[in-house]
Structure formats: C-alpha cells, structure tokens
Amino acid sequence: VAMAAPLVLHLLLALLLGSGGRSGAEPERDSLREELVLTPLPSGDVSATFQFRTRWDSELQLEGVSHYRLFPKVLGQLISKYSVQELHLSLTQGFWRTRFWGQPFLQAPAGTNHHFLRYAVLPREVVCTENLTPWKKLLPCSSKAGLSVLLKAERLFHTSYHSQAVHIRPVCRDAHCVSVSWELRQTLTVVFDAFTTGQGKKDWSLFRMFSRTITEACPLASQSHIYVDISRNSQENETLEVSPPPTSTYQAVVLGDRRTYAVYDLLNPATFSGSRSLNLQLRWKQFQDIGSQLVPFLHAQRYVSGYGLQKGELSTVLHNTHPYRAFPVLLLETVPWYLRLYVHTLAITTKGKENKPSYIHYQPAQDRLRPHLLEMLIQLPANSVTKVSIQFERALLKWTEYTPDPNHGFYVSPSVLSALVPNLVGAKPANWEESPLFSTMFPVSDSSSYFVRLYTEPLLVNLPTPDFSMPYNVICLTCTVVAVCYGSFYNLLTRTFHLEEPKRSRLVRWLANIIRRIRGVPPV
C-alpha cells in the first residue's frame, strides 16, 4: 500500500501534464453559442426562441473519434456509425398562427438525394417533460448555467405554442468546402399567451414568463446573447420600452423585413449593472392594433369537408398577399392509406380559373405499409387565393387497428409549403460566424427573395367506427351461457351419488314393532 500511492501520484501527474501539453499545442476545435430572441406580438403575446449551436471541426465519419468535449457523444456515435448526412427532428405542440404572428423562425434543410431522404410525421403525440429532459441533457451546460436555466418545464408547457428541435448538418469551413465541420443546433420556440400566462397584462418580464432570471452565462459558451425585437419603435414614437437599457442594438433583414433588436451580451459584466441577476422587462407604452400588422406574403389553411362517413374532400387554401409579385410554391401532401384518394378529382383553382401545376408527382399508398405522397409545384399569382382540393373515400379498418378512443377520430399530417418569397428590402448574404444565429437559419441566395417553409394545421378525420359495445355484450352473454351449461354438465360428470335410507324416529319404530308382533313377525 505504501508503494501504490507514489505510483498513482505519478500517473495523475503524467495525465495532467499530457492533457495540459495537448491543450497548449492544439486549440479547441469545438465551440458553443447560445442565443435567446424575444419577439412581442401584436396580439399582446410574446414569443421566445432559444438557440444553442455547437460546432465541431471534426470528420466524424472518417476519424476515429473517442473524446467528446461539447458535442454530445450519443449524437456523434450516431453520425459515425450510420453515416448520417443530416438529421432534423422536432416535437411541436400547438399551431403557429402565421396570419397573426408572422413568419416563424424555421431552418431550411439543404438538398439531399431523394433515394436516401427519409421523411416521417407523427401528427399526434403528447409532449411531456420527458421530451424536454433528454433535450436539455444534450447541452454542454445542461440547465445549470446560461440561457438554459430559463427552461423550466412547468412554464414551457403551459403555453399556446411549444416546439423543440434538434438539427444536425455538415457545414463548410471555407469557401471551397475542402473540409467540413459538424453543426448541432438545438432550438426551442414558445409563445406565451397574454391571458393564460400573463394574467391579462400586456407587460412581460423574464420572471413572469419563465419564473426565473439569468445569473450568469454558460462558462463554455463563446457567445451568449439576448435579442429583443424593438422594430415597432420609430424615431417619432416609441411603443415598446425595454429595461434595463440594452448595451447595443442590431439591425438585420429577417424573413424579408428589416428589423431592429436590442442586444444584451451576457459575457459582458456591464449587462448585469452590478446586480446579481438579469430580469428583462418589456412594457407597452402604446399598444398596436392587430389590424395594423403587416400580413405575411405567404400563409395557408387546410380543412376537410363533406358529410357522412363514406366520402369527403381535403382542401388546402394558399394565400399570396404580395401586391404585384407572383412566386411558385412547392406543396407536399402525405395522406394516410385509410383515406383512399381519387386523383382524377384533383382541382387547383385561382380566382375562379384552373391553375395547372408545372410539376406533379404522386405515389399511391399501400394498405398498412405506406401513405399517399402528392407533391406539386404551383404558381401563385400576385394578390390571389389558390385552392387545392382532392376527394377521398374512407376505408374500413380491422377492429384491432382502432385506437383506444376511436370516436375521437384519426389525425392527418399537415401540408408542407416551401417557397422563395419576395423581399421587402434588399438583403445581403450573412456571415455565419459573425451574424446572430436567428439570421443564419434561412440562407439568402440573392437579395430579391428568401426561403420559407410552412406547415398547415393537422386534420382530424372520423372513420366508420363499429359499435364496440356489441362485442362486449356478445362476449358477456356467451361467457354466461358457457358457464351455466358447462358447469351443469361438469357437475353431472364428476358428482358421485350414494343411496341412503332415511332415519326413523323411536315412536315410529315402537308402533312398527307392535304391528309386527301382532302379525307374528320378528321386531325390527
């Protein structure tokens, strides 16, 4: 034992010197940036968008990586083992109201060969805290420091809209893309309702939204910023007051519109102004009407029509509110197999006239194997409403294929719209490393348009449902009849019968002996 202690000490010194030497010779190849964007909405609500970006300059599919610092090991092993090119996974509860809230912050995935592209949608899944906990464990600081301390499950799930996502993709390190880095983006977007969360008040603060304040930035983060959208403030009229005053402001073209943000750098000690925590407050001086909001150039609705439980119609309404610009939209529809589509009834009308798609691809469904896939490229004229409709017939399911609540209905996944929407102002390509994370979610190819991907509402369709009480009644009646018949038959087969004379009383026996003596018969 006396000789083991120096040996352990020498090993620890060797490990410390070795790690120190490597850290001094090679700079860290991974980095972390965290960001929070607060956007007041015209309805009095407020949206909060978290982004945590981890970038690692490593070839995971070529190098034998065994040491992970900031990048999650479980995701790195997944990329290396299965040769994953991109992964986009999101869990959403609620519906983003584009017509009233504007365009959401969405990231457009890059092109992939369609032979290796996998797309799946689960229209209904109850989001619970167990989905948030594994998501937070992927963060380098978990929920101990930085912006992640605001991620309190009790507050996040008590909102009108909640969406959390994980995006993994390779990014080029230079203009020639000789080598690539792996980027992990964890995004979380919530919309706090002014009446359910804010108790009917239009003023907001970090503590009112999250029941917590920020005390420090994540020690592992190279950047940690909070952005507050103050675009509605003009030089003549200040409608929104933000306190404490921001350290700086930032202007950028986001989703085709020029916006101004108040910036708070959590790595700057002056942000906390000598206090131990930061509690941003947003106060409306002059509340804006919803009607004064600029309507997004592209938004859509989807609904199901018809009567009875045999046939129906799926309809998608596309709105182009631009006054003089037309642009194409790629519409993707995935319909479950138990809704049998009549492709010959597909109709696309704009302003009462037929609108012929320039591209259409249809893949029929296979029962219990795959859904219908319908993809179309539609030209939307300026200031127009386009309706896409198709009729369907409901199929009968096996009684074992119904959900535990079959009368609730079956969900149909939303439609997906992808388009290059015209810009209001000119935009320049953003520098990925110097620009905020929210401005690099949608790459700009030119100054005239920007990419948008939208999702419509999921639909709830009723199918012919049998009366599940009748099988229950039949089962109960059958079991009763079988129990009665089988029980009686079983008793007859297994019961043993014995002949036993009845016992007589003493008086009867005495009288019987008297009669037998008179007759000369021996007594009993």
Side-chain angles (χ1 to χ4, degrees):
V1 178
M3 297 179 61
L7 180 59
V8 173
L9 180 60
H10 285 302
L11 289 176
L12 290 176
L13 288 176
L15 290 174
L16 290 175
L17 291 175
S19 62
R22 286 193 300 269
S23 62
E26 297 181 4
E28 299 294 347
R29 298 191 301 172
D30 51 359
S31 61
L32 170 67
R33 294 175 60 184
E34 59 178 7
E35 180 179 287
L36 170 61
V37 181
L38 299 177
T39 306
L41 303 176
S43 59
D45 307 335
V46 62
S47 68
T49 302
F50 292 85
Q51 281 201 70
F52 304 89
R53 194 205 72 167
T54 304
R55 180 170 176 172
W56 193 8
D57 297 339
S58 175
E59 295 285 350
L60 293 178
Q61 297 179 351
L62 300 178
E63 302 176 4
V65 180
S66 59
H67 176 68
Y68 292 81
R69 179 175 173 265
L70 300 180
F71 203 90
K73 184 177 181 180
V74 62
L75 296 180
Q77 293 177 341
L78 178 68
I79 296 173
S80 177
K81 182 176 181 179
Y82 297 101
S83 301
V84 177
Q85 296 295 329
E86 286 192 31
L87 174 64
H88 303 273
L89 173 65
S90 61
L91 298 171
T92 304
Q93 186 179 35
F95 176 68
W96 183 274
R97 303 177 181 178
T98 308
R99 173 65 175 80
F100 303 101
W101 295 345
Q103 301 286 2
F105 288 129
L106 289 179
Q107 182 175 352
T112 311
N113 190 339
H114 69 279
H115 294 290
F116 303 98
L117 179 64
R118 300 294 181 264
Y119 174 76
V121 178
L122 182 63
R124 182 189 183 191
E125 197 261 347
V126 180
V127 177
C128 62
T129 55
E130 291 305 318
N131 289 330
L132 182 64
T133 302
W135 187 88
K136 291 193 294 186
K137 289 182 179 179
L138 298 177
L139 299 174
C141 288
S142 185
S143 57
K144 307 299 182 182
L147 298 176
S148 57
V149 298
L150 302 177
L151 304 179
K152 187 177 180 181
E154 293 82 359
R155 304 296 295 178
L156 295 180
F157 293 112
H158 192 62
T159 55
S160 57
Y161 177 81
H162 171 274
S163 178
Q164 62 189 61
V166 174
H167 304 280
I168 303 176
R169 63 178 179 178
V171 293
C172 298
R173 300 185 195 178
D174 49 26
H176 302 285
C177 204
V178 178
S179 57
V180 298
S181 302
W182 283 96
E183 181 190 68
L184 166 64
R185 287 206 187 195
Q186 296 178 244
T187 62
L188 174 65
T189 303
V190 291
V191 175
F192 293 94
D193 187 82
F195 295 95
T196 59
T197 307
Q199 291 82 35
K201 299 180 181 179
K202 306 298 183 181
D203 298 335
W204 293 94
S205 66
L206 289 182
F207 186 79
R208 175 172 292 181
M209 289 184 288
F210 304 101
S211 297
R212 292 177 180 175
T213 57
I214 299 177
T215 57
E216 61 177 347
C218 176
L220 300 176
S222 58
Q223 291 185 10
S224 181
H225 291 161
I226 298 180
Y227 296 87
V228 181
D229 192 349
I230 55 174
S231 304
R232 293 183 178 86
N233 292 347
S234 59
Q235 296 181 356
E236 299 82 8
N237 188 11
E238 187 181 61
T239 59
L240 182 65
E241 179 184 1
V242 183
S243 62
T247 56
S248 62
T249 58
Y250 176 80
Q251 289 188 351
V253 178
V254 180
L255 295 172
D257 190 13
R258 187 175 301 278
R259 299 183 183 180
T260 305
Y261 295 89
V263 184
Y264 296 86
D265 187 0
L266 299 184
L267 297 179
N268 186 1
T271 303
F272 295 90
S273 302
S275 60
R276 302 181 60 180
S277 62
L278 176 63
N279 184 24
L280 291 181
Q281 297 183 2
L282 288 72
R283 297 186 179 92
W284 286 97
K285 289 186 176 180
Q286 181 181 354
F287 192 73
Q288 289 187 344
D289 188 12
I290 299 180
S292 62
Q293 179 195 14
L294 181 64
V295 179
F297 288 152
L298 176 64
H299 60 277
Q301 296 87 32
R302 196 184 189 201
Y303 60 90
V304 59
S305 59
Y307 59 91
L309 293 177
Q310 182 180 4
K311 296 182 179 181
E313 185 178 82
L314 293 175
S315 300
T316 304
V317 181
L318 312 177
H319 297 262
N320 177 12
T321 61
H322 200 285
Y324 55 88
R325 286 284 299 274
F327 54 87
V329 171
L330 185 65
L331 177 64
L332 176 65
E333 300 269 5
T334 55
V335 183
W337 64 268
Y338 45 78
L339 299 183
R340 309 192 187 280
L341 297 181
Y342 294 149
V343 185
H344 69 280
T345 63
L346 177 63
I348 305 175
T349 57
T350 304
K351 298 180 179 180
K353 298 180 180 179
E354 181 183 2
N355 189 343
K356 203 169 184 179
S358 55
Y359 165 79
I360 185 170
H361 169 71
Y362 173 69
Q363 179 179 340
Q366 292 184 4
D367 289 357
R368 299 171 181 86
L369 292 180
R370 70 183 185 191
H372 300 271
L373 178 64
L374 180 60
E375 191 176 18
M376 296 174 289
L377 184 62
I378 305 173
Q379 186 75 14
L380 302 184
N383 197 15
S384 64
V385 178
T386 302
K387 180 181 179 181
V388 181
S389 61
I390 187 171
Q391 297 181 8
F392 65 89
E393 181 180 357
R394 296 172 172 88
L396 275 174
L397 302 180
K398 299 179 181 179
W399 71 276
T400 55
E401 295 175 341
Y402 285 90
T403 58
D405 52 348
N407 293 311
H408 178 77
F410 291 78
Y411 283 87
V412 180
S413 59
S415 303
V416 185
L417 285 79
S418 304
L420 289 174
V421 181
N423 273 332
L424 284 177
V425 293
K428 298 180 180 180
N431 189 334
W432 283 63
E433 291 301 323
E434 298 179 0
S435 302
L437 297 179
F438 65 85
S439 63
T440 58
M441 293 181 68
F442 15 81
V444 178
S445 58
D446 54 24
S447 60
S448 61
S449 60
Y450 62 96
F451 181 81
V452 167
R453 176 162 292 163
L454 298 179
Y455 298 88
T456 63
E457 309 92 330
L459 300 180
L460 187 62
V461 179
N462 291 324
L463 295 182
T465 305
D467 186 2
F468 286 99
S469 63
M470 291 306 297
Y472 175 77
N473 297 335
V474 172
I475 291 174
C476 292
L477 179 60
T478 304
C479 292
T480 303
V481 173
V482 170
V484 173
C485 297
Y486 178 76
S488 302
F489 188 69
Y490 180 79
N491 288 335
L492 291 175
L493 293 178
T494 59
R495 180 176 297 178
T496 303
F497 296 92
H498 300 278
L499 182 60
E500 184 177 357
E501 295 182 358
K503 295 183 179 179
R504 300 177 180 178
S505 63
R506 292 183 179 181
L507 178 60
V508 174
R509 186 176 182 181
W510 181 72
L511 292 176
N513 289 334
I514 293 176
I515 297 174
R516 290 175 72 87
R517 287 177 182 178
I518 295 174
R519 296 175 57 186
V521 179
V524 179

